[in-house]
């Protein structure tokens, strides 16, 4: 089966248009730091990404396949693919590009669309899909993240408000400030499991919300946040779908969890891996005991193993794309499989680079860091990514459900 994406004449024309627009607004030679640690608000990179995000949003290219009515581009899957592919080739790190497609648009917007009232959709979707506002995902808690139904944060109705108490952990790892928290909370502590969960869009500046930084390996400079809710009065208009929809909230959340796994496909995964390109080049140019590192049999074996894993990941990415384009079943084990392969590949890549490059993989200061800190970032990110979103074990459990379902 050939999953490779090919432009039709119409798409080739569209690609030219996209490229010309990107050359103006996100030019190839724009001097933006490639350092993945350089993401704090106020930094050129952070401000540039936010501004670019808004420009893309205004054009409808941040959520290309969403209808224009809700702030999307009203474009086809093919056009969306072209935009993603062209964006992924712009000169910034994987961190920067992924953000254009992350949680707000891939996870929260579908939940809002599925569950929200028409009034809420018209009010909240456009600013999200146009990249004007950012919502942090408030799902995980100090006592656990995989099982959302075990959430302890409560939101109890009191007049026209819900009073929220509890705490959420690991928020904001992609952007250091937000306008809203997309909150999962228990609306009826005595209600049945899975039937007592509400989904809220909570303005972050409500009285009673406080936050502390939590160091995270993945974002060494920024980390994430733990958010505390102390008698926070959230007006009922921010409960997505209204109280009577609490049962549906669970369906919307668990449904988009699977969608998110499918969406783990970022365009980068179908392109050549930039870190691998760097390491291959480095090994060809760097001599050890009078010969290039790339002539060493152990180095060659490690590099080939990474190549194989990256190619499998690329093929899974292309398959996901092919499934979307051809209208194949979208909610199967394939999303989890792609996500799992991404996590496994990154871990193997980090191990291989540590074997080949030694302590250099631990350096992030500009004087010693390889590839502007990307290799150091690559070394630590798989540890965090192993549990980010959905853990490897839970991805396997989701796949097992599909693979074994005939016997259930
Ligand atoms: C970099 C990063 C960014 C994050 N960003 C956010 C964010 O923005 N918002 C947010 O809400 N959360 C965020 N998280 C949290 C993330 O979603 C959770 O870490 C994840 O859901 C797992 O939850 P947990 O860490 O509490 O582990 P737990 O759910 O407590 O699981 C503990 C262990 O048990 C295993 N396990 C659990 N259930 C099963 C099962 N059914 N079968 C087999 N094994 C199982 C898990 O695999 C894991 O090994 C982030 C995490 C990271 C690392």
């Amino acid at each position: 089966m050939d999953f490779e994406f090919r432009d039709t004449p119409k798409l080739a024309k569209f690609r030219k248009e996209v490229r010309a627009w990107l050359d103006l607004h996100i030019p190839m030679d724009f001097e933006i730091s490639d350092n993945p640690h350089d993401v704090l608000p106020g930094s050129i990179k952070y401000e540039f990404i936010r501004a670019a995000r808004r420009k893309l949003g205004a054009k409808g290219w941040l959520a290309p396949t969403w209808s224009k009515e809700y702030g999307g581009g009203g474009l086809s899957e093919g056009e969306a693919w072209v935009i993603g592919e062209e964006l992924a080739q712009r000169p910034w790190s994987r961190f920067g590009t992924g953000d254009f497609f992350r949680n707000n648009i891939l996870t929260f917007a579908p939940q809002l669309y599925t569950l929200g009232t028409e009034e809420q959709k018209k009010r909240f979707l456009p600013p999200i899909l146009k990249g004007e506002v950012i919502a942090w995902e408030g799902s995980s808690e100090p006592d656990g993240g995989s099982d959302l139904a075990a959430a302890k944060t409560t939101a109890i109705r009191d007049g026209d408000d819900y009073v929220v108490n509890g705490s959420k952990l690991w928020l904001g790892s992609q952007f250091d400030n937000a306008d809203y928290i997309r909150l999962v909370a228990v609306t009826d502590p005595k209600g049945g499991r899975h039937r007592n969960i509400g989904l809220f869009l909570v303005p972050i500046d409500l009285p009673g919300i406080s936050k502390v930084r939590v160091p995270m390996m993945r974002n060494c400079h920024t980390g994430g946040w733990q958010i505390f809710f102390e008698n926070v009065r959230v007006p009922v208009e921010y409960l997505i779908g209204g109280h009577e929809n609490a049962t549906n909230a669970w369906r919307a959340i668990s449904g988009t969890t699977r969608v998110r796994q499918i969406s783990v496909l970022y365009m980068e995964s179908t392109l050549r891996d930039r870190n691998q390109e760097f390491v291959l080049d480095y090994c060809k140019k760097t001599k050890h005991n009078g010969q290039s590192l790339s002539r060493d049999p152990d180095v060659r074996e490690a590099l080939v193993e990474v190549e194989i894993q990256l190619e499998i990941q690329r093929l899974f990415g292309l398959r996901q794309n092919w499934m979307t384009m051809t209208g194949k079943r979208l909610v199967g084990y394939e999303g989890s499989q792609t996500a799992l392969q991404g996590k496994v590949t990154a871990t193997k890549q980090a191990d291989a680079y540590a074997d080949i490059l030694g302590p250099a993989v631990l350096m992030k200061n500009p004087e010693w860091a390889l590839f502007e800190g990307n290799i150091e970032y690559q070394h630590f990110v798989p540890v965090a990514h192993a549990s980010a979103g959905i853990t490897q074990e839970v991805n396997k459990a989701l796949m097992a459900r599909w693979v074994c379902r005939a016997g259930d």
Side-chain angles (χ1 to χ4, degrees):
M1 180 69 72
D2 179 9
F3 296 126
E4 209 72 53
F5 178 81
R6 291 185 183 82
D7 286 352
T8 59
K10 197 174 155 217
L11 285 179
K13 200 167 155 233
F14 181 66
R15 190 181 288 280
K16 274 192 192 153
E17 186 194 320
V18 173
R19 221 170 260 178
W21 190 89
L22 289 179
D23 283 344
L24 272 182
H25 299 282
I26 312 178
M28 283 290 192
D29 57 358
F30 184 82
E31 294 229 350
I32 187 168
S33 157
D34 222 353
N35 187 332
H37 299 285
D38 174 19
V39 291
L40 283 173
S43 74
I44 293 176
K45 183 170 181 176
Y46 179 92
E47 299 303 332
F48 178 79
I49 290 174
R50 276 212 83 163
R53 198 181 155 101
R54 288 198 188 98
K55 284 186 208 164
L56 282 162
K59 244 187 127 43
W61 287 1
L62 207 50
T65 56
W66 281 76
S67 78
K68 288 187 177 176
E69 186 192 0
Y70 294 125
L75 298 173
S76 67
E77 299 286 356
E79 286 163 322
W81 178 264
V82 167
I83 293 168
E85 215 173 39
E86 288 300 320
L87 261 177
Q89 293 177 48
R90 297 285 131 173
W92 54 40
S93 74
R94 178 175 289 224
F95 181 90
T97 321
D99 273 319
F100 285 117
F101 297 96
R102 289 259 173 131
N103 289 359
N104 281 240
I105 290 168
L106 295 179
T107 310
F108 183 53
Q111 290 170 354
L112 192 49
Y113 182 78
T114 315
L115 194 63
T117 62
E118 198 49 40
E119 195 189 336
Q120 287 173 326
K121 287 190 225 178
K122 292 220 165 89
R123 178 176 168 195
F124 297 128
L125 276 174
I128 289 175
L129 296 182
K130 285 175 182 290
E132 290 160 3
V133 300
I134 289 174
W136 279 344
E137 180 181 350
S139 301
S140 306
E141 298 195 353
D143 286 338
S146 300
D147 185 6
L148 283 186
K152 293 197 172 110
T153 298
T154 52
I156 307 300
R157 183 80 183 248
D158 181 27
D160 287 340
D161 298 330
Y162 280 86
V163 180
V164 179
N165 281 289
S167 176
K168 294 287 171 181
L169 195 56
W170 312 121
L171 279 71
S173 58
Q174 289 131 27
F175 269 105
D176 202 43
N177 52 19
D179 306 280
Y180 296 100
I181 299 167
R182 168 275 206 191
L183 178 75
V184 173
V186 173
T187 46
D188 175 10
K190 290 187 185 139
R193 193 174 144 82
H194 295 144
R195 293 177 192 281
N196 59 350
I197 301 277
L199 185 66
F200 295 83
L201 189 59
V202 179
I204 200 146
D205 51 4
L206 288 184
I209 297 180
S210 58
K211 55 182 186 167
V212 292
R213 268 210 192 281
V214 184
M216 290 168 96
M217 251 185 201
R218 177 169 175 258
N219 296 66
C220 305
H221 286 182
T222 55
W225 294 98
Q226 181 167 7
I227 309 282
F228 299 92
F229 300 85
E230 209 178 330
N231 293 321
V232 179
R233 297 197 77 86
V234 181
V236 68
E237 68 202 74
Y238 293 108
L239 171 65
I240 304 304
H243 188 59
E244 66 279 11
N245 271 342
T247 310
N248 291 341
W250 176 256
R251 291 213 185 101
I253 296 163
S254 56
T256 42
T257 299
R258 280 186 239 137
V259 171
R260 179 158 84 167
Q261 290 313 288
I262 288 162
S263 308
V264 165
L265 156 71
Y266 299 132
M267 302 306 164
E268 292 95 332
S269 69
T270 61
L271 300 173
R272 289 285 304 165
D273 185 272
R274 297 175 69 219
N275 287 344
Q276 176 75 349
E277 294 287 280
F278 169 84
V279 175
L280 282 172
D281 193 50
Y282 180 91
C283 290
K284 281 181 206 158
K285 288 183 182 150
T286 308
K287 295 220 178 303
H288 181 63
N289 290 340
Q291 67 169 7
S292 298
L293 272 178
S294 58
R295 308 295 303 170
D296 182 300
D298 290 337
V299 170
R300 289 163 87 95
E301 191 179 333
L303 287 174
V304 164
E305 180 57 32
V306 173
E307 276 293 313
I308 292 168
Q309 294 304 325
L310 285 170
E311 185 59 13
I312 295 171
Q313 191 183 332
R314 195 179 86 84
L315 291 173
F316 279 156
L318 287 172
R319 181 194 58 185
Q320 295 295 111
N321 171 52
W322 171 81
M323 288 177 75
T324 312
M325 303 278 183
T326 52
K328 297 276 180 297
R329 183 190 62 179
L330 274 174
V331 181
Y333 66 86
E334 294 88 352
S336 285
Q337 191 181 38
T338 309
L340 183 63
Q341 176 64 24
K343 289 172 193 266
V344 170
T345 302
T347 309
K348 291 195 173 165
Q349 210 171 347
D351 287 348
Y353 295 168
D355 286 347
I356 298 168
L357 304 168
V361 299
L362 302 175
M363 305 287 179
K364 71 172 178 223
N365 65 321
E367 202 183 339
W368 298 101
L370 292 173
F371 195 17
E372 286 206 54
N374 277 285
I375 298 302
E376 186 261 359
Y377 188 68
Q378 163 78 61
H379 188 68
F380 289 112
V381 82
V383 181
H385 269 186
S387 58
I390 294 181
T391 66
Q392 299 198 22
E393 292 79 9
V394 174
N395 268 313
K396 284 181 192 166
L398 286 170
M399 286 165 68
R401 255 188 220 170
W402 282 93
V403 173
C404 306
R405 71 189 186 287
D408 280 352

